[in-house]
DNA sequence: GCAAAAGTGTTTAATTTACACCCATGC
DNA sequence: GCATGGGTGTAAATTAAACACTTTTGC
């Protein structure tokens, strides 16, 4: 076979394959293999009184009726080839909107990241359900706006230390975990691990402070996430390096405190590339 | 209400709730909401000739017939309340077994970790399909045993640099990515990122060397994963610290090399807690 | 003035990085 | 003997940790 002949052959083959596949899709009908239901569940974090909290909503329906659970819901899908439904990230955003009552613009400013998918058989007693878990970071300024489906009594912020207490408090923590619906305690654990790992690799710390913030406010967030105090002086030094890197910049004004007023800074969304 | 009365009330309520839920489940029939198909796809890594490779299998059916793809398949699920089907991790192990031809005991020794779930609408032209991605680490000693469904011609190891080449080689890399079925190039990217992040947090490096190994063999693995050379002296020093920590221990014998024979070591699966 | 937190500086240890050099072995 | 890679040592640079001290405000 000559080179040109081969080339022609290849092109012909490829076109033929394409037609072949188009015909296949035309005739294709989804089989009858059983499928799982798929939900998106959100671990919504915020910092209240310098402590990390998770958003829980009370279940109004079976199963686990009356128990506290993570906000979430079923992913909208379809086999329609021109519209297969919503993306997973979009589903997470939609659930955040629906379950928290946040406005569209407010919820669009919320950081969302997929953790992983939970699928242990039996985790939902009704049927086989997979849960794609996300974690969300909500600025404390948005917290007062949150209502579970418009009903405050059906939403609460749980102090995370009540779930992870060890030693003497371990028993209470274990009980609190048991009060959660499904395997949601495990999902919270995984989300927390992921967020902690992300904290010193990415810029997620800025997602939990207001638009402008003081160094001590940012430190409080890091302390809440890590669950241990950080040296103020050393934290400041690491922080100031971020200014040189163009990650943050000084903002106008001062923040009044219990003592000396503190300088405020702003997170620069697109970090300038260093020119060195 | 007295304390004891309240306690009794609580217990009564809880029991009542339980009966209520049991009745609910008894009557419950899964609704008609559309569900997605769910697959498990594997990014199987190994090191060949000091280069990181991924396992690809040739698709024998539409869609993307004849193209290269990640090994994987549909998760077996059911709504039967006494048997909802296999766990996601179990599905990943099963697919590894089925698609590579590795023996049960061999594949049980393969490290598997979930990456995340891909669900962009349209990623499968047939219907809505979510893919739960895993990455697997296969020791080079097992590589010769791998056959895609018993057929060597339907499996190949792709050098990862052919997918990630930049600059002059960028065009070829882009073409190679386009040759992959579905969004599998994206899945490989995500798996690679995750594995690299895991490399200096966990002990996954040991999953890609033989049972006993020399320092230079382990270094070659790290270099392959990171894609850059490491200083032999410095790597050795970091490594020797692991001996003090009880992570690894010297093994019997020497490994012949091109020059001076090298000492071999063994990974200690359960690291002894340091007593300090 | 005094408490309280902002902000600065210093000292020490630990870790990383780069690189020089000796040593044992196969050929 | 000599090239090769194993194995060791060292010096400089950077980063992390601990903590003392000075400054500026509210009360």
């Amino acid at each position: 076979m000559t080179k040109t002949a081969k080339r022609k052959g290849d092109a012909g083959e490829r076109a033929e394959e394409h037609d072949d596949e188009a015909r296949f899709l035309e005739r294709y009908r989804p089989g009858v293999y059983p499928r799982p239901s798929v939900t998106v569940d959100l671990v919504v974090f915020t910092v209240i009184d310098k402590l990390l909290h998770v958003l829980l909503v009370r279940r109004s329906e079976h199963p686990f009726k009356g128990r506290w659970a993570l906000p979430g819901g079923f992913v909208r899908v379809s086999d329609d080839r021109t519209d297969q439904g919503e993306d997973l990230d979009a589903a997470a955003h939609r659930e955040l909107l629906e379950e928290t009552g946040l406005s569209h613009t407010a919820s669009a400013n919320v950081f969302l990241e997929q953790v992983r998918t939970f699928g242990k058989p039996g985790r939902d007693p009704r049927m086989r359900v997979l849960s794609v878990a996300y974690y969300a970071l909500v600025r404390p300024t948005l917290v007062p706006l949150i209502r579970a489906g418009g009903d405050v009594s059906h939403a609460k912020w749980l102090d995370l230390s009540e779930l992870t207490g060890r030693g003497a408090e371990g028993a209470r923590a274990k009980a609190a975990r048991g009060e959660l619906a499904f395997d949601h305690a495990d999902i919270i654990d995984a989300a927390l691990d992921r967020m902690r790992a992300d904290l010193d690799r990415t810029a997620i710390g800025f997602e939990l402070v207001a638009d402008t913030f003081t160094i001590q406010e940012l430190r409080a967030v890091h302390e809440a996430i890590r669950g241990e105090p950080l040296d103020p002086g050393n934290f400041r030094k690491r922080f100031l390096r971020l200014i040189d890197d163009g990650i943050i910049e000084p903002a106008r004004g001062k923040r009044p405190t219990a003592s000396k007023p503190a300088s405020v800074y702003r997170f620069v969304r697109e970090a300038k590339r260093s020119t060195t």
Side-chain angles (χ1 to χ4, degrees), chain A residues 160-174 177 189 192-193 196:
Chain A
L160 259 185
S161 66
E162 291 182 27
L163 235 45
T164 57
R166 295 188 176 279
E169 292 165 351
R172 185 143 48 92
K174 204 167 176 184
R177 295 172 63 88
D189 286 344
L192 188 55
D193 283 352
R196 280 182 176 152

Side-chain angles (χ1 to χ4, degrees), chain A residues 53-160:
Chain A
H53 285 70
V54 219
L55 180 65
L56 298 178
V57 298
R58 196 187 284 279
R59 286 189 61 81
S60 58
E61 299 298 334
H62 284 299
F64 297 102
K65 186 173 178 176
R67 305 277 275 281
W68 292 101
L70 295 174
F74 291 96
V75 180
R76 293 178 184 163
V77 299
S78 157
D79 286 340
D80 182 340
R81 276 205 281 287
T82 64
D83 177 16
Q84 291 189 348
E86 64 188 353
D87 186 26
L88 291 174
D89 288 0
H93 270 106
R94 178 179 54 74
E95 289 296 342
L96 183 69
L97 205 89
E98 291 178 5
E99 300 247 14
T100 61
L102 286 177
S103 73
H104 197 281
T105 50
S107 71
N109 273 324
V110 171
F111 178 88
L112 262 177
E113 175 93 346
Q114 194 189 121
V115 179
R116 68 180 178 89
T117 296
F118 291 77
K120 222 175 52 212
R123 56 181 295 282
D124 189 315
R126 290 170 293 180
M127 54 197 176
R128 185 67 192 271
V129 180
L130 307 184
S131 165
V132 184
Y134 280 76
Y135 78 86
L137 302 179
V138 170
R139 294 172 208 287
T141 46
L142 294 179
V143 167
L145 305 176
I146 288 182
R147 307 273 182 279
D151 186 349
V152 164
S153 72
H154 285 66
K156 76 167 175 184
W157 290 100
L158 177 73
D159 174 4
L160 259 185

